[in-house]
Amino acid sequence: MQSTQVRKRVPVSALLDPKIVWPAIVSAFVKLDPRLMIRNPVMFVVEVVAALTTVVFVRELVSGSPGLGFTFQIILWLWTTVLFANFAEAIAEGRGKAQADSLRRQRTQTQAKLMTGSGRDYRSVPSTSLKVGDIVLVAAGDTIPSDGEVIEGIASVNEAAITGESAPVIRESGGDRSAVTGGTQVLSDSIRVRITAAPGSTFLDRMIHLVEGAERQKTPNEIALNILLAGMTIIFVFATATIPSFANYAGGTISVVVVVALFVTLIPTTIGALLSAIGIAGMDRLVRFNVLAMSGRAVEASGDVDTLLLDKTGTITLGNRQATEFKPLRGVSEQELADAAQLASLADETPEGRSIVVLAKEKYGIRGRDLNELDAHFIPFTAQSRMSGVEVGGSWVRKGAVDAVLGLLKAPAASSQATALALQPAVSAETVRETNAIAEAIAKSGGTPLAVAKDGRLLGIVQLKDVIKGGIRERFVELRRMGIRTIMITGDNPMTAAAIAAEAGVDDFLAQATPEDKLRLIRDEQAKGRLVAMCGDGTNDAPALAQADVGVAMNTGTQAAREAGNMVDLDSNPTKLIEIVEIGKQLLMTRGSLTTFSIANDVAKYFAIIPAMFLAFYPQLAALNIMNLASPQSAILSAIIFNALIIVALIPLALKGVAYRPIGAAPLLRRNLLIYGVGGLVVPFIGIKAIDLAVTAIGLV
Amino acid sequence: MTANGWLQIIVYFVVLTALVLPLGRFMARVFEGERTLLSPVLRPVEIGLYRLAGVDATREQHCISYTIAMLVFNAAGFALVYALQRFQAVLPLNPAGMSAVAPDLAFNTAVSFTSNTNWQNYGGESTMSYLTQMAALTTQNFVSAATGIALVIALVRAFARTSAKTVGNFWVDLTRCTLYVLLPLAVLGALVLVWQGVPQNIGPYVDATTLEGAKQTLSQGPAASQIAIKQLGTNGGGFWSANSSVPYENPTPLSNFLQMLSILLIPAALTLTFGRMVRDERQGWALYAAMSAIFLAGVALCYWAESYGNTNFAALGLDPANMEGKEVRFGIANSSLWAVATTAASNGSVNAMHDSFTPLGGMIPIIMMQLGEIIYGGVGSGLYGMLLMVIVAVFVAGLMVGRTPEYLGKKIEAKEVKMALLAILVLPLFMLGFPAVAVLLPFGLSSMQDAGPHGFSEVLYLYTSQTANNGSAFAGFTGNTLWYNTTGGIAMLFGRYFVIIPMMAVAGSLVAKKTVPASAGTFPTHGGLFVGLLVGVILIIGGLTFFPALALGPVAEHFAMLTKSTF
């Protein structure tokens, strides 16, 4: 659902965008530098053996051995394999670089108005010289020089540079909207900002680093996978390095280049080549979702999340309660109640009030009236009265909390309202009972009752309800299928919370939640071994955000919240937590699937190379040539060509990621095993045979 | 292949499976320190032993001290076996007047018996005194087996416990295993064997006059007691050099069946012990199913290859089924079943000569060992080897469901993967590295009996068997040389302890981890899908490593045989 939002900022570049491909090709060669290659053990090994065989080749060239054409082609493909791996990484990085460049343009040198002394004076200094704790003045039209917190004033700020959203947002001192980001622009008014980031480590700087992948650290799971790949490489060193000796015993010789060819096809080059591209692409996908992860570790953790804490308002329900029904008391028509309720709400600018007007209009065709025309007097809501209403001529209408309205009717003498009220009779006990019954029923179903009284007569109750977001229920079903528990956090009382939780389909809820409750809930879940994700924006959310394994801070939130979380959502859309989990899972799935594919490929490669290798002295092993490849040379060449080409063929998959389906772990495993495990067994048999036909047809050997 | 042959194989497997449940649960009770049927008799003995040795049975050990205790105990065992061999000439219980064993052979044998390998570069009846057989070799048959079981129990506890520090007490596990599991079963087994006709005495050798009137010396000794534990403890070292094909060592079809059964009994039952201790028996059955799938496939292939035999015989009008090197009383089905069982478990006792098997028939035992002795495997060692393989399988597959991989609620991370791989790496290094050197050296080649690919298979088998701590031999090979004694000893040493040390590091890391409760997002590790996946990973990682070597040995020999050339 966020995809349209995502695309607006940085369009997903086409895979073969020449602006990315050409630099990537150049970069593939630059990355041959062994100091860079060593970060990727599998491909480093390939480079080393390619270099060694090249040396052997040159020596043989000088001494003039036969069959050099074949050796040359093998060596060529060895280098190609390394280059393809570098190319995959460079393409992934290139896509990030395009975004980084557009960000960097925002980071132009600006002048900051540094406040001096305690007065209102300032002097102009370059923004790069600002230190943490400095106070600057930013007036309309100025670019905010660095990250900071508004300590005085209110301003509208254009944050398009960071979020891509051009509608300005309000930033003000105090409260939960005090954080400002360097590189954004103040449109109106002026604010004073206390700088909170050292030069070079601002939000924008971090964002550039992240999308460039420049300081990409290997994530824990990536490290573990690299160990597995390195271990398998060593196993195949033993398997292949012993072959010349065995062959010697059998009375034959095997050239170094053939052993190297077997070795390189066996070691997991496919996943080795694509591993870092997968990691970079995963980060990139998040950035495209307008989410910034402060570390790859957090992205990985999001795939592991067991429990999602979701705030009710804005995530599960639409922002505000809405009127859904008019419930008149006996002897009152719905029409009459709706009319009175609408009249009382005409001047009420709260979303609840507006929804009453709309409901009355939609359900009973009662059109809104102009208060000025009616010469009405609006009585606003106060925390003391807990009512609002209107007075038109001698008539009055009140709507508000049930007990408050009842109180008004019961004790007219105590009321400080218009004298007309005193003339009204007190409300009967039966009416009270009936009212309370209706109110209770509404509360039980998760709604809020609003009593409406007109001229001392109780007309009935307006039911206000939280409206569950469309499609959110289905999302929770999906999450449950993936084994993720959802817990709704709300300030409502337990009864209301339970009703909404049941309606939305969350697994659990935390009612009347305080920040301490949230923190305790996270700790409890973690003590049970679960990983917890949550999002938050306020300063009081900061401890919980820091405690959660995945804490997504809203970009509109406070600096404290943004520092505490390990991700920032630039769109400030809490529903995104669900997408973040999916991206994390997709990242891990892509790694696992390609690893499985890579390992399964080995079977076919053995059947291509082993008979070819030993045919000279054990002709009976031709029986193992089940693919019926043309000649030993063509078999070996085809295997190594397949091994190189499969890397390029899988780059799109590595960048896009394996398709994620919320179908539960067991079906998902079965599906991926079938595609990448069984597919990995079968595909190379077909591929190598096809390449062999081509190689023979062209006459390469 | 005959219906009778298949029936015997099926009966064998059914009886084995039926015994897994009671024995597996019994062992779980023993190691959880619960009361068992044997407690009234053995509990006082157990307490007495602790008091005697000054062991505080209530104090558990951290995984490092557990490992150190095990290493110290094994080093002492090694020293004792070595010393007894070297001094047997001057020690009592030597009626046949055996002389001191040469240093290199004594080294090889000492490593062999402490590492639960029981590779024998000697003939028992012509080398070892009764004292050496009993005090050194039979004793090690018990304690090397108990060591393996104790270690796997430590690993199982690491999976079962949450955020704990200790994995048990080595001395307690060792004592309980010997006292409650091995001794009762061995006593029972020995009695049955004596009933079936196996000697159990310490008298001098007996002279007999054969039907042709020739004089034959029949060697004697405390055989039944050693044979019972050699099978139960997956030791395999025969009392006589021809092992369980000797009528004295394996006199009847019943003794043959029971010995085969006791080869796989404890390793198979340990899977359920594991399931029980991690409080989900299905987990144990899943491992049992994966092991059984590979085992039964191996038996079927081996039986088929031996029955199919040598087609060149058919051309001569002879029955092609391969009876060379097999006891007529056991036949092809029982010989094939034994061969696969003894190599699937790291037992190594034989009732037929594997060297005489057809190329493919002989390849199955080699593959069983190359997989790392995890198809049931050695007592204890088989299960911990399997669990290391599970870690690798789960790591690869777990990622495919989009979570950091976990097994039994324990997250599998860099450290576990690193250590599991270290343990797995040891095998190809020695299984392939030593043969690669041996076939280049004159004193390596001179021990081979046969030429061509078959000779190669012999060398491959030798190092594979020793590295995997199996101990069975392809025969047709002079193993008692300085080179083979030394390199074989090194292979056994590394094949045992350099798997154990990383394995215990895994245990230490796992035991401290929190247990993540299972959810719909964690893929179940007890279903058919997981079993299939595990089998696939074992075959691809374990099997592919050895593809070139196998191609140059048995596979080349097989295709040569089809073109009428044999070796």
Side-chain angles (χ1 to χ4, degrees):
Chain A
M1 64 194 283
Q2 256 70 39
S3 56
T4 47
Q5 231 169 344
V6 172
R7 261 148 238 228
K8 89 196 161 204
R9 190 163 145 250
V10 188
V12 178
S13 27
L15 273 180
L16 293 176
D17 183 352
K19 265 184 281 173
I20 291 175
V21 171
W22 285 111
I25 291 173
V26 175
S27 169
F29 284 91
V30 175
K31 283 169 184 279
L32 286 176
D33 184 341
R35 284 167 303 181
L36 300 175
M37 288 295 295
I38 197 132
R39 279 170 57 91
N40 183 342
V42 177
M43 295 320 294
F44 178 71
V45 167
V46 179
E47 187 182 35
V48 168
V49 293
L52 283 178
T53 43
T54 310
V55 172
V56 172
F57 175 72
V58 171
R59 216 183 54 198
E60 284 180 358
L61 201 64
V62 174
S63 65
S65 313
L68 283 177
F70 172 70
T71 311
F72 176 73
Q73 290 188 53
I74 295 285
I75 292 171
L76 202 64
W77 282 105
L78 289 178
W79 283 110
T80 312
T81 310
V82 183
L83 287 173
F84 281 173
N86 290 348
F87 177 70
E89 192 181 73
I91 282 272
E93 286 173 353
R95 284 161 38 115
K97 273 210 185 77
Q99 298 181 1
D101 286 344
S102 75
L103 288 175
R104 200 170 274 124
R105 261 175 259 130
Q106 311 289 340
R107 206 184 49 176
T108 42
Q109 275 283 338
T110 48
Q111 290 291 309
K113 295 166 179 167
L114 179 66
M115 305 301 295
T116 50
S118 55
R120 309 203 67 83
D121 306 330
Y122 62 82
R123 58 189 166 86
S124 228
V125 297
S127 61
T128 45
S129 68
L130 292 173
K131 298 185 298 291
V132 176
D134 283 352
I135 293 169
V136 294
L137 177 73
V138 192
D142 289 351
T143 299
I144 297 172
S146 185
D147 294 357
E149 193 140 12
V150 181
I151 53 168
E152 196 186 312
I154 175 167
S156 66
V157 178
N158 177 2
E159 296 198 333
I162 306 290
T163 62
E165 179 62 63
S166 52
V169 293
I170 300 296
R171 296 293 183 211
E172 60 187 329
S173 62
D176 287 348
R177 291 169 184 274
S178 61
V180 289
T181 310
T184 56
Q185 205 186 18
V186 172
L187 295 177
S188 68
D189 308 293
S190 80
I191 45 175
R192 285 181 200 221
V193 174
R194 187 192 291 115
I195 301 299
T196 54
S201 66
T202 63
F203 194 67
L204 203 58
D205 289 318
R206 275 190 290 174
M207 208 161 148
I208 291 169
H209 283 308
L210 277 168
V211 294
E212 272 189 334
E215 282 172 18
R216 212 174 75 84
Q217 300 252 312
K218 283 198 185 130
T219 58
N221 176 264
E222 211 176 340
I223 291 169
L225 191 53
N226 256 316
I227 290 171
L228 177 82
L229 300 182
M232 296 201 53
T233 305
I234 297 172
I235 289 179
F236 287 118
V237 168
F238 299 152
T240 52
T242 49
I243 289 177
S245 157
F246 296 163
N248 178 65
Y249 165 82
T253 51
I254 290 175
S255 71
V256 176
V257 74
V258 172
V259 175
V260 163
L262 176 64
F263 172 67
V264 169
T265 51
L266 290 181
I267 61 175
T269 47
T270 315
I271 178 66
L274 297 173
L275 192 54
S276 56
I278 295 170
I280 297 169
M283 275 292 217
D284 198 43
R285 263 198 300 281
L286 267 186
V287 172
R288 279 168 207 285
F289 263 90
N290 267 0
V291 174
L292 286 189
M294 295 308 155
S295 69
R297 186 184 283 262
V299 185
E300 242 164 46
S302 62
D304 278 357
V305 162
D306 302 283
T307 307
L308 274 186
L309 303 192
L310 297 168
D311 279 323
K312 185 197 79 178
T313 308
T315 311
I316 296 170
T317 62
L318 294 173
N320 301 293
R321 287 150 202 261
Q322 296 190 352
T324 54
E325 212 180 332
F326 295 109
K327 298 194 167 187
L329 292 176
R330 239 176 305 156
V332 181
S333 74
E334 275 187 48
Q335 189 82 18
E336 193 183 353
L337 172 62
D339 184 68
Q342 195 197 41
L343 191 63
S345 307
L346 281 175
D348 186 354
E349 282 303 311
T350 63
E352 288 90 348
R354 262 175 296 174
S355 76
I356 293 175
V357 175
V358 169
L359 184 71
K361 189 163 131 195
E362 281 178 356
K363 231 173 161 179
Y364 305 100
I366 305 168
R367 299 192 43 127
R369 288 144 284 189
D370 193 334
L371 283 179
N372 291 330
E373 259 174 48
L374 295 172
D375 188 26
H377 171 58
F378 178 60
I379 298 156
F381 176 88
T382 66
Q384 283 78 40
S385 70
R386 295 190 292 145
M387 284 183 290
S388 64
V390 70
E391 278 170 22
V392 187
S395 180
W396 58 266
V397 184
R398 293 283 184 283
K399 73 168 202 288
V402 175
D403 55 339
V405 174
L406 282 176
L408 168 74
L409 296 177
K410 270 182 194 162
S415 168
S416 59
Q417 302 290 326
T419 46
L421 284 179
L423 304 172
Q424 303 304 324
V427 67
S428 77
E430 200 199 331
T431 311
V432 172
R433 235 191 336 270
E434 192 187 351
T435 310
N436 281 336
I438 297 174
E440 207 167 295
I442 291 175
K444 261 192 193 138
S445 73
T448 309
L450 274 188
V452 178
K454 187 178 182 185
D455 300 335
R457 190 161 75 107
L458 198 58
L459 296 179
I461 304 229
V462 180
Q463 174 177 291
L464 292 179
K465 252 193 151 171
D466 272 308
V467 179
I468 310 288
K469 277 190 178 177
I472 199 85
R473 210 185 152 85
E474 289 71 31
R475 296 298 286 275
F476 292 145
V477 173
E478 281 180 11
L479 286 172
R480 199 167 308 119
R481 234 182 273 142
M482 293 307 292
I484 297 169
R485 257 160 47 86
T486 42
I487 300 180
M488 181 181 83
I489 309 284
T490 171
D492 292 340
N493 64 62
M495 199 162 64
T496 312
I500 296 172
E503 195 181 340
V506 293
D507 295 295
D508 206 348
F509 63 88
L510 181 66
Q512 287 166 343
T514 63
E516 294 75 40
D517 290 339
K518 256 197 221 187
L519 190 60
R520 199 174 316 117
L521 178 67
I522 294 175
R523 291 214 171 111
D524 286 351
E525 288 287 310
Q526 286 172 335
K528 288 180 208 147
R530 299 201 176 100
L531 254 64
V532 183
M534 69 162 284
C535 51
D537 52 6
T539 299
N540 54 14
D541 280 334
L545 276 172
Q547 180 71 32
D549 300 282
V550 177
V552 182
M554 300 294 107
N555 191 45
T556 52
T558 58
Q559 195 63 30
R562 277 164 41 165
E563 291 290 330
N566 45 19
M567 290 191 195
V568 174
D569 177 15
L570 301 175
D571 297 335
S572 304
N573 173 2
T575 320
K576 251 194 218 168
L577 207 47
I578 299 172
E579 270 89 4
I580 293 172
V581 168
E582 290 181 1
I583 289 176
K585 284 197 179 296
Q586 202 183 16
L587 174 71
L588 295 174
M589 275 164 56
T590 310
R591 269 189 210 145
S593 301
L594 290 181
T595 306
T596 309
F597 185 84
S598 193
I599 295 172
N601 271 342
D602 280 358
V603 178
K605 291 169 185 168
Y606 262 128
F607 277 99
I609 295 185
I610 291 293
M613 246 178 162
F614 301 144
L615 207 62
F617 45 93
Y618 283 152
Q620 69 268 27
L621 287 179
L624 290 180
N625 182 9
I626 53 175
M627 280 176 273
N628 202 13
L629 305 176
S631 69
Q633 278 84 12
S634 75
I636 294 167
L637 195 59
S638 305
I640 194 118
I641 292 177
F642 175 83
N643 193 53
L645 291 185
I646 196 73
I647 296 174
V648 178
L650 291 174
I651 289 178
L653 182 66
L655 296 186
K656 249 176 53 207
V658 166
Y660 163 86
R661 269 154 225 269
I663 50 177
L668 198 58
L669 180 65
R670 186 172 304 120
R671 191 190 134 82
N672 285 336
L673 258 186
L674 207 65
I675 298 177
Y676 300 99
V678 179
L681 282 175
V682 176
V683 165
F685 277 103
I686 300 165
I688 291 174
K689 178 66 187 172
I691 294 171
D692 180 72
L693 290 176
V695 161
T696 324
I698 306 171
L700 285 180
V701 285
Chain B
M1 290 185 282
T2 61
N4 179 286
W6 282 115
L7 191 67
Q8 293 193 49
I9 291 168
I10 291 166
V11 166
Y12 172 80
F13 185 70
V14 168
V15 173
L16 177 71
T17 309
L19 288 174
V20 164
L21 193 68
L23 183 60
R25 285 190 179 165
F26 171 76
M27 286 194 285
R29 291 187 73 85
V30 168
F31 293 111
E32 305 266 35
E34 292 167 29
R35 229 182 126 70
T36 64
L37 205 65
L38 299 173
S39 296
V41 186
L42 294 177
R43 184 69 188 150
V45 181
E46 189 192 341
I47 293 169
L49 282 173
Y50 296 148
R51 211 164 282 157
L52 205 66
V55 171
D56 179 0
T58 55
R59 246 191 64 197
E60 292 218 337
Q61 288 164 314
H62 186 266
C63 153
I64 292 174
S65 31
Y66 196 99
T67 315
I68 290 173
M70 183 281 301
L71 286 174
V72 168
F73 179 72
N74 276 234
F78 169 84
L80 182 74
V81 177
Y82 185 82
L84 278 172
Q85 290 179 85
R86 301 287 289 136
F87 296 114
Q88 68 175 7
V90 295
L91 291 170
L93 280 178
N94 187 9
M98 302 293 179
S99 56
V101 181
D104 58 323
L105 180 58
F107 163 73
N108 186 283
T109 308
V111 175
S112 176
F113 276 77
T114 40
S115 65
N116 196 247
T117 309
N118 296 33
W119 175 270
Q120 294 167 300
N121 270 340
Y122 63 88
E125 62 274 37
S126 57
T127 318
M128 301 297 175
S129 74
Y130 288 164
L131 182 73
T132 313
Q133 291 269 31
M134 291 192 297
L137 307 187
T138 307
T139 307
Q140 283 305 318
N141 278 354
F142 277 96
V143 294
S144 70
T147 299
I149 297 176
L151 287 168
V152 82
I153 294 300
L155 180 61
V156 172
R157 288 197 187 108
F159 276 110
R161 293 178 178 183
T162 299
S163 315
K165 289 196 177 68
T166 59
V167 290
N169 183 315
F170 175 72
W171 308 111
V172 173
D173 290 338
L174 185 77
T175 310
R176 289 217 175 115
C177 179
T178 314
L179 213 53
Y180 290 88
V181 181
L182 296 175
L183 265 177
L185 283 173
V187 168
L188 191 69
L191 289 175
V192 173
L193 288 175
V194 169
W195 166 50
Q196 290 294 304
V198 178
Q200 176 74 14
N201 60 47
I202 47 170
Y205 291 179
V206 178
D207 286 330
T209 311
T210 65
L211 288 176
E212 291 91 5
K215 230 185 75 176
Q216 189 181 354
T217 305
L218 297 178
S219 48
Q220 299 288 315
S225 59
Q226 186 178 328
I227 294 162
I229 188 63
K230 103 176 173 191
Q231 307 295 32
L232 282 167
T234 58
N235 297 288
F239 193 85
W240 286 280
S241 70
N243 215 304
S244 283
S245 58
V246 178
Y248 259 175
E249 193 147 344
N250 189 7
T252 64
L254 181 64
S255 73
N256 190 63
F257 182 83
L258 292 175
Q259 286 193 30
M260 273 198 299
L261 199 62
S262 47
I263 288 175
L264 294 188
L265 184 63
I266 295 178
L270 275 171
T271 56
L272 194 88
T273 308
F274 157 74
R276 190 101 184 140
M277 288 178 74
V278 299
R279 282 172 287 282
D280 186 0
E281 288 191 353
R282 296 172 307 172
Q283 303 290 348
W285 285 118
L287 296 189
Y288 181 73
M291 291 171 171
S292 301
I294 297 178
F295 171 70
L296 291 176
V299 172
L301 263 171
C302 187
Y303 185 32
W304 168 80
E306 291 308 294
S307 307
Y308 186 75
N310 188 337
T311 42
N312 298 321
F313 287 171
L316 298 171
L318 300 169
D319 181 3
N322 181 28
M323 278 302 291
E324 182 194 313
K326 296 189 178 66
E327 284 282 286
V328 179
R329 36 196 197 111
F330 301 135
I332 292 179
N334 272 313
S335 301
S336 306
L337 179 58
W338 185 301
V340 180
T342 194
T343 47
S346 78
N347 187 289
S349 66
V350 293
N351 75 347
M353 294 302 112
H354 295 180
D355 192 34
S356 297
F357 275 32
T358 57
L360 292 186
M363 182 174 76
I364 302 299
I366 301 182
I367 292 177
M368 287 294 158
M369 295 186 287
Q370 285 170 338
L371 295 182
E373 293 297 19
I374 57 175
I375 310 309
Y376 309 117
V379 284
S381 62
L383 185 59
Y384 65 64
M386 181 54 111
L387 286 170
L388 291 177
M389 204 50 113
V390 165
I391 286 177
V392 173
V394 157
F395 182 77
V396 174
L399 282 178
M400 275 196 290
V401 302
R403 277 177 77 95
T404 306
E406 55 205 29
Y407 182 59
L408 304 175
K410 299 278 188 174
K411 284 217 182 297
I412 306 298
E413 289 164 305
K415 183 165 186 204
E416 289 78 30
V417 172
K418 190 195 291 173
M419 290 302 155
L421 274 168
L422 266 182
I424 292 170
L425 272 174
V426 172
L427 302 180
L429 176 61
F430 290 98
M431 287 179 183
L432 294 171
F434 273 139
V437 179
V439 295
L440 290 180
L441 300 173
F443 46 86
L445 292 167
S446 62
S447 286
M448 290 185 207
Q449 176 186 276
D450 300 289
H454 193 76
F456 179 71
S457 298
E458 286 170 0
V459 182
L460 187 64
Y461 195 108
L462 175 131
Y463 285 112
T464 304
S465 170
Q466 298 197 43
T467 311
N469 295 142
N470 180 282
S472 72
F474 222 27
F477 200 92
T478 316
N480 187 11
T481 67
L482 182 62
W483 164 260
Y484 282 109
N485 277 334
T486 313
T487 52
I490 292 170
M492 289 186 278
L493 206 57
F494 276 80
R496 176 85 165 174
Y497 298 101
F498 281 73
V499 174
I500 288 175
I501 292 168
M503 182 278 291
M504 287 303 283
V506 171
S509 158
L510 285 178
V511 77
K513 290 194 180 191
K514 275 190 273 191
T515 305
V516 185
S519 71
T522 40
F523 77 89
T525 52
H526 52 72
L529 188 65
F530 175 72
V531 172
L533 170 83
L534 185 57
V535 168
V537 168
I538 291 170
L539 291 181
I540 287 188
I541 291 186
L544 283 188
T545 317
F546 300 99
F547 195 98
L550 291 173
L552 289 172
V555 176
E557 191 189 352
H558 170 75
F559 287 115
M561 182 182 84
L562 296 181
T563 57
K564 296 192 189 331
S565 93
T566 53
F567 301 91

